[in-house]
PDB file of all heavy atoms in Angstrom:
ATOM      1  N   SER A 934      93.698 100.317  93.364  1.00  0.00           N
ATOM      2  CA  SER A 934      92.806  99.468  94.145  1.00  0.00           C
ATOM      3  C   SER A 934      91.388  99.950  93.911  1.00  0.00           C
ATOM      4  O   SER A 934      91.105 101.149  94.027  1.00  0.00           O
ATOM      5  CB  SER A 934      93.130  99.546  95.639  1.00  0.00           C
ATOM      6  OG  SER A 934      94.297  98.823  95.917  1.00  0.00           O
ATOM      7  N   ILE A 935      90.530  99.017  93.591  1.00  0.00           N
ATOM      8  CA  ILE A 935      89.135  99.342  93.314  1.00  0.00           C
ATOM      9  C   ILE A 935      88.289  98.697  94.405  1.00  0.00           C
ATOM     10  O   ILE A 935      88.394  97.493  94.653  1.00  0.00           O
ATOM     11  CB  ILE A 935      88.722  98.840  91.916  1.00  0.00           C
ATOM     12  CG1 ILE A 935      89.636  99.472  90.858  1.00  0.00           C
ATOM     13  CG2 ILE A 935      87.261  99.136  91.645  1.00  0.00           C
ATOM     14  CD1 ILE A 935      89.467  98.922  89.465  1.00  0.00           C
ATOM     15  N   VAL A 936      87.456  99.497  95.055  1.00  0.00           N
ATOM     16  CA  VAL A 936      86.613  99.018  96.142  1.00  0.00           C
ATOM     17  C   VAL A 936      85.166  99.001  95.664  1.00  0.00           C
ATOM     18  O   VAL A 936      84.679 100.004  95.141  1.00  0.00           O
ATOM     19  CB  VAL A 936      86.741  99.928  97.385  1.00  0.00           C
ATOM     20  CG1 VAL A 936      85.853  99.426  98.506  1.00  0.00           C
ATOM     21  CG2 VAL A 936      88.181 100.009  97.840  1.00  0.00           C
ATOM     22  N   GLY A 937      84.512  97.863  95.834  1.00  0.00           N
ATOM     23  CA  GLY A 937      83.102  97.766  95.484  1.00  0.00           C
ATOM     24  C   GLY A 937      82.807  97.987  94.017  1.00  0.00           C
ATOM     25  O   GLY A 937      81.738  98.447  93.664  1.00  0.00           O
ATOM     26  N   GLY A 938      83.742  97.676  93.150  1.00  0.00           N
ATOM     27  CA  GLY A 938      83.546  97.876  91.721  1.00  0.00           C
ATOM     28  C   GLY A 938      83.790  99.297  91.267  1.00  0.00           C
ATOM     29  O   GLY A 938      83.836  99.588  90.085  1.00  0.00           O
ATOM     30  N   GLY A 939      83.956 100.199  92.237  1.00  0.00           N
ATOM     31  CA  GLY A 939      84.255 101.590  91.918  1.00  0.00           C
ATOM     32  C   GLY A 939      83.170 102.292  91.117  1.00  0.00           C
ATOM     33  O   GLY A 939      83.399 103.354  90.569  1.00  0.00           O
ATOM     34  N   GLY A 940      81.985 101.681  91.040  1.00  0.00           N
ATOM     35  CA  GLY A 940      80.912 102.281  90.263  1.00  0.00           C
ATOM     36  C   GLY A 940      81.164 102.223  88.768  1.00  0.00           C
ATOM     37  O   GLY A 940      80.567 102.980  88.008  1.00  0.00           O
ATOM     38  N   LEU A 941      82.061 101.327  88.353  1.00  0.00           N
ATOM     39  CA  LEU A 941      82.398 101.220  86.926  1.00  0.00           C
ATOM     40  C   LEU A 941      81.462 100.257  86.211  1.00  0.00           C
ATOM     41  O   LEU A 941      81.009  99.264  86.789  1.00  0.00           O
ATOM     42  CB  LEU A 941      83.840 100.728  86.772  1.00  0.00           C
ATOM     43  CG  LEU A 941      84.920 101.597  87.397  1.00  0.00           C
ATOM     44  CD1 LEU A 941      86.272 100.910  87.315  1.00  0.00           C
ATOM     45  CD2 LEU A 941      84.971 102.951  86.715  1.00  0.00           C
ATOM     46  N   ALA A 942      81.198 100.531  84.948  1.00  0.00           N
ATOM     47  CA  ALA A 942      80.386  99.636  84.124  1.00  0.00           C
ATOM     48  C   ALA A 942      81.122  98.306  83.959  1.00  0.00           C
ATOM     49  O   ALA A 942      82.357  98.285  83.861  1.00  0.00           O
ATOM     50  CB  ALA A 942      80.141 100.277  82.761  1.00  0.00           C
ATOM     51  N   PRO A 943      80.398  97.185  83.937  1.00  0.00           N
ATOM     52  CA  PRO A 943      81.046  95.875  83.795  1.00  0.00           C
ATOM     53  C   PRO A 943      81.957  95.762  82.577  1.00  0.00           C
ATOM     54  O   PRO A 943      83.033  95.172  82.659  1.00  0.00           O
ATOM     55  CB  PRO A 943      79.871  94.903  83.702  1.00  0.00           C
ATOM     56  CG  PRO A 943      78.762  95.594  84.418  1.00  0.00           C
ATOM     57  CD  PRO A 943      78.957  97.062  84.137  1.00  0.00           C
ATOM     58  N   ASP A 944      81.558  96.337  81.444  1.00  0.00           N
ATOM     59  CA  ASP A 944      82.393  96.268  80.239  1.00  0.00           C
ATOM     60  C   ASP A 944      83.709  97.019  80.428  1.00  0.00           C
ATOM     61  O   ASP A 944      84.764  96.555  80.005  1.00  0.00           O
ATOM     62  CB  ASP A 944      81.653  96.838  79.024  1.00  0.00           C
ATOM     63  CG  ASP A 944      80.522  95.947  78.559  1.00  0.00           C
ATOM     64  OD1 ASP A 944      80.511  94.755  78.934  1.00  0.00           O
ATOM     65  OD2 ASP A 944      79.653  96.444  77.820  1.00  0.00           O
ATOM     66  N   TYR A 945      83.635  98.173  81.068  1.00  0.00           N
ATOM     67  CA  TYR A 945      84.840  98.969  81.309  1.00  0.00           C
ATOM     68  C   TYR A 945      85.750  98.256  82.311  1.00  0.00           C
ATOM     69  O   TYR A 945      86.961  98.206  82.132  1.00  0.00           O
ATOM     70  CB  TYR A 945      84.456 100.359  81.809  1.00  0.00           C
ATOM     71  CG  TYR A 945      85.638 101.310  81.943  1.00  0.00           C
ATOM     72  CD1 TYR A 945      86.466 101.577  80.864  1.00  0.00           C
ATOM     73  CD2 TYR A 945      85.911 101.935  83.149  1.00  0.00           C
ATOM     74  CE1 TYR A 945      87.538 102.448  80.971  1.00  0.00           C
ATOM     75  CE2 TYR A 945      86.984 102.810  83.268  1.00  0.00           C
ATOM     76  CZ  TYR A 945      87.786 103.059  82.174  1.00  0.00           C
ATOM     77  OH  TYR A 945      88.851 103.915  82.299  1.00  0.00           O
ATOM     78  N   LEU A 946      85.166  97.659  83.339  1.00  0.00           N
ATOM     79  CA  LEU A 946      85.934  96.920  84.329  1.00  0.00           C
ATOM     80  C   LEU A 946      86.629  95.727  83.675  1.00  0.00           C
ATOM     81  O   LEU A 946      87.809  95.470  83.923  1.00  0.00           O
ATOM     82  CB  LEU A 946      84.999  96.470  85.448  1.00  0.00           C
ATOM     83  CG  LEU A 946      85.581  96.096  86.782  1.00  0.00           C
ATOM     84  CD1 LEU A 946      86.523  97.153  87.317  1.00  0.00           C
ATOM     85  CD2 LEU A 946      84.464  95.836  87.781  1.00  0.00           C
ATOM     86  N   SER A 947      85.923  95.024  82.805  1.00  0.00           N
ATOM     87  CA  SER A 947      86.519  93.903  82.071  1.00  0.00           C
ATOM     88  C   SER A 947      87.670  94.372  81.193  1.00  0.00           C
ATOM     89  O   SER A 947      88.701  93.706  81.095  1.00  0.00           O
ATOM     90  CB  SER A 947      85.471  93.217  81.190  1.00  0.00           C
ATOM     91  OG  SER A 947      84.473  92.641  81.973  1.00  0.00           O
ATOM     92  N   GLU A 948      87.496  95.525  80.558  1.00  0.00           N
ATOM     93  CA  GLU A 948      88.549  96.092  79.712  1.00  0.00           C
ATOM     94  C   GLU A 948      89.790  96.425  80.538  1.00  0.00           C
ATOM     95  O   GLU A 948      90.919  96.169  80.106  1.00  0.00           O
ATOM     96  CB  GLU A 948      88.023  97.347  79.023  1.00  0.00           C
ATOM     97  CG  GLU A 948      89.042  98.046  78.160  1.00  0.00           C
ATOM     98  CD  GLU A 948      88.558  99.400  77.658  1.00  0.00           C
ATOM     99  OE1 GLU A 948      87.356  99.558  77.434  1.00  0.00           O
ATOM    100  OE2 GLU A 948      89.409 100.297  77.511  1.00  0.00           O
ATOM    101  N   LEU A 949      89.603  96.975  81.734  1.00  0.00           N
ATOM    102  CA  LEU A 949      90.730  97.314  82.607  1.00  0.00           C
ATOM    103  C   LEU A 949      91.496  96.063  83.040  1.00  0.00           C
ATOM    104  O   LEU A 949      92.731  96.050  83.043  1.00  0.00           O
ATOM    105  CB  LEU A 949      90.249  98.084  83.841  1.00  0.00           C
ATOM    106  CG  LEU A 949      89.734  99.496  83.604  1.00  0.00           C
ATOM    107  CD1 LEU A 949      89.130 100.055  84.889  1.00  0.00           C
ATOM    108  CD2 LEU A 949      90.843 100.401  83.095  1.00  0.00           C
ATOM    109  N   VAL A 950      90.768  95.007  83.387  1.00  0.00           N
ATOM    110  CA  VAL A 950      91.414  93.758  83.803  1.00  0.00           C
ATOM    111  C   VAL A 950      92.160  93.144  82.624  1.00  0.00           C
ATOM    112  O   VAL A 950      93.298  92.685  82.765  1.00  0.00           O
ATOM    113  CB  VAL A 950      90.386  92.771  84.399  1.00  0.00           C
ATOM    114  CG1 VAL A 950      91.022  91.420  84.677  1.00  0.00           C
ATOM    115  CG2 VAL A 950      89.785  93.345  85.682  1.00  0.00           C
ATOM    116  N   ALA A 951      91.548  93.149  81.438  1.00  0.00           N
ATOM    117  CA  ALA A 951      92.201  92.610  80.249  1.00  0.00           C
ATOM    118  C   ALA A 951      93.467  93.399  79.913  1.00  0.00           C
ATOM    119  O   ALA A 951      94.486  92.820  79.522  1.00  0.00           O
ATOM    120  CB  ALA A 951      91.234  92.620  79.066  1.00  0.00           C
ATOM    121  N   ASP A 952      93.422  94.704  80.086  1.00  0.00           N
ATOM    122  CA  ASP A 952      94.598  95.535  79.834  1.00  0.00           C
ATOM    123  C   ASP A 952      95.716  95.203  80.822  1.00  0.00           C
ATOM    124  O   ASP A 952      96.885  95.135  80.447  1.00  0.00           O
ATOM    125  CB  ASP A 952      94.233  97.018  79.918  1.00  0.00           C
ATOM    126  CG  ASP A 952      95.404  97.912  79.566  1.00  0.00           C
ATOM    127  OD1 ASP A 952      95.972  97.750  78.463  1.00  0.00           O
ATOM    128  OD2 ASP A 952      95.758  98.772  80.396  1.00  0.00           O
ATOM    129  N   SER A 953      95.366  94.968  82.070  1.00  0.00           N
ATOM    130  CA  SER A 953      96.368  94.595  83.071  1.00  0.00           C
ATOM    131  C   SER A 953      97.019  93.262  82.689  1.00  0.00           C
ATOM    132  O   SER A 953      98.241  93.099  82.774  1.00  0.00           O
ATOM    133  CB  SER A 953      95.722  94.506  84.459  1.00  0.00           C
ATOM    134  OG  SER A 953      96.683  94.241  85.448  1.00  0.00           O
ATOM    135  N   TYR A 954      96.201  92.313  82.223  1.00  0.00           N
ATOM    136  CA  TYR A 954      96.720  91.020  81.764  1.00  0.00           C
ATOM    137  C   TYR A 954      97.671  91.217  80.578  1.00  0.00           C
ATOM    138  O   TYR A 954      98.767  90.658  80.554  1.00  0.00           O
ATOM    139  CB  TYR A 954      95.566  90.101  81.382  1.00  0.00           C
ATOM    140  CG  TYR A 954      95.997  88.869  80.623  1.00  0.00           C
ATOM    141  CD1 TYR A 954      96.553  87.773  81.287  1.00  0.00           C
ATOM    142  CD2 TYR A 954      95.873  88.804  79.232  1.00  0.00           C
ATOM    143  CE1 TYR A 954      96.955  86.647  80.580  1.00  0.00           C
ATOM    144  CE2 TYR A 954      96.274  87.683  78.527  1.00  0.00           C
ATOM    145  CZ  TYR A 954      96.816  86.612  79.205  1.00  0.00           C
ATOM    146  OH  TYR A 954      97.235  85.501  78.507  1.00  0.00           O
ATOM    147  N   ARG A 955      97.240  92.016  79.597  1.00  0.00           N
ATOM    148  CA  ARG A 955      98.088  92.249  78.411  1.00  0.00           C
ATOM    149  C   ARG A 955      99.418  92.892  78.784  1.00  0.00           C
ATOM    150  O   ARG A 955     100.458  92.579  78.210  1.00  0.00           O
ATOM    151  CB  ARG A 955      97.340  93.103  77.394  1.00  0.00           C
ATOM    152  CG  ARG A 955      96.293  92.352  76.606  1.00  0.00           C
ATOM    153  CD  ARG A 955      95.754  93.173  75.448  1.00  0.00           C
ATOM    154  NE  ARG A 955      95.036  94.357  75.883  1.00  0.00           N
ATOM    155  CZ  ARG A 955      93.742  94.395  76.145  1.00  0.00           C
ATOM    156  NH1 ARG A 955      93.011  93.310  76.029  1.00  0.00           N
ATOM    157  NH2 ARG A 955      93.168  95.530  76.519  1.00  0.00           N
ATOM    158  N   ARG A 956      99.400  93.791  79.756  1.00  0.00           N
ATOM    159  CA  ARG A 956     100.641  94.436  80.209  1.00  0.00           C
ATOM    160  C   ARG A 956     101.584  93.401  80.826  1.00  0.00           C
ATOM    161  O   ARG A 956     102.792  93.414  80.576  1.00  0.00           O
ATOM    162  CB  ARG A 956     100.345  95.533  81.229  1.00  0.00           C
ATOM    163  CG  ARG A 956      99.707  96.738  80.636  1.00  0.00           C
ATOM    164  CD  ARG A 956      99.311  97.750  81.712  1.00  0.00           C
ATOM    165  NE  ARG A 956      98.827  98.929  81.056  1.00  0.00           N
ATOM    166  CZ  ARG A 956      99.607  99.812  80.448  1.00  0.00           C
ATOM    167  NH1 ARG A 956     100.903  99.667  80.467  1.00  0.00           N
ATOM    168  NH2 ARG A 956      99.102 100.845  79.825  1.00  0.00           N
ATOM    169  N   ALA A 957     101.038  92.519  81.637  1.00  0.00           N
ATOM    170  CA  ALA A 957     101.857  91.479  82.258  1.00  0.00           C
ATOM    171  C   ALA A 957     102.416  90.542  81.194  1.00  0.00           C
ATOM    172  O   ALA A 957     103.601  90.197  81.214  1.00  0.00           O
ATOM    173  CB  ALA A 957     101.028  90.696  83.287  1.00  0.00           C
ATOM    174  N   LEU A 958     101.572  90.135  80.257  1.00  0.00           N
ATOM    175  CA  LEU A 958     101.997  89.227  79.190  1.00  0.00           C
ATOM    176  C   LEU A 958     103.069  89.870  78.316  1.00  0.00           C
ATOM    177  O   LEU A 958     104.081  89.242  77.992  1.00  0.00           O
ATOM    178  CB  LEU A 958     100.786  88.830  78.345  1.00  0.00           C
ATOM    179  CG  LEU A 958     101.004  87.757  77.294  1.00  0.00           C
ATOM    180  CD1 LEU A 958     101.463  86.453  77.925  1.00  0.00           C
ATOM    181  CD2 LEU A 958      99.718  87.544  76.502  1.00  0.00           C
TER     182      LEU A 958
END
Side-chain angles (χ1 to χ4, degrees):
S934 285
I935 302 172
V936 180
L941 300 173
D944 289 342
Y945 186 56
L946 200 51
S947 296
E948 178 189 328
L949 291 173
V950 173
D952 184 55
S953 184
Y954 167 79
R955 283 190 295 271
R956 288 175 174 285
L958 187 60

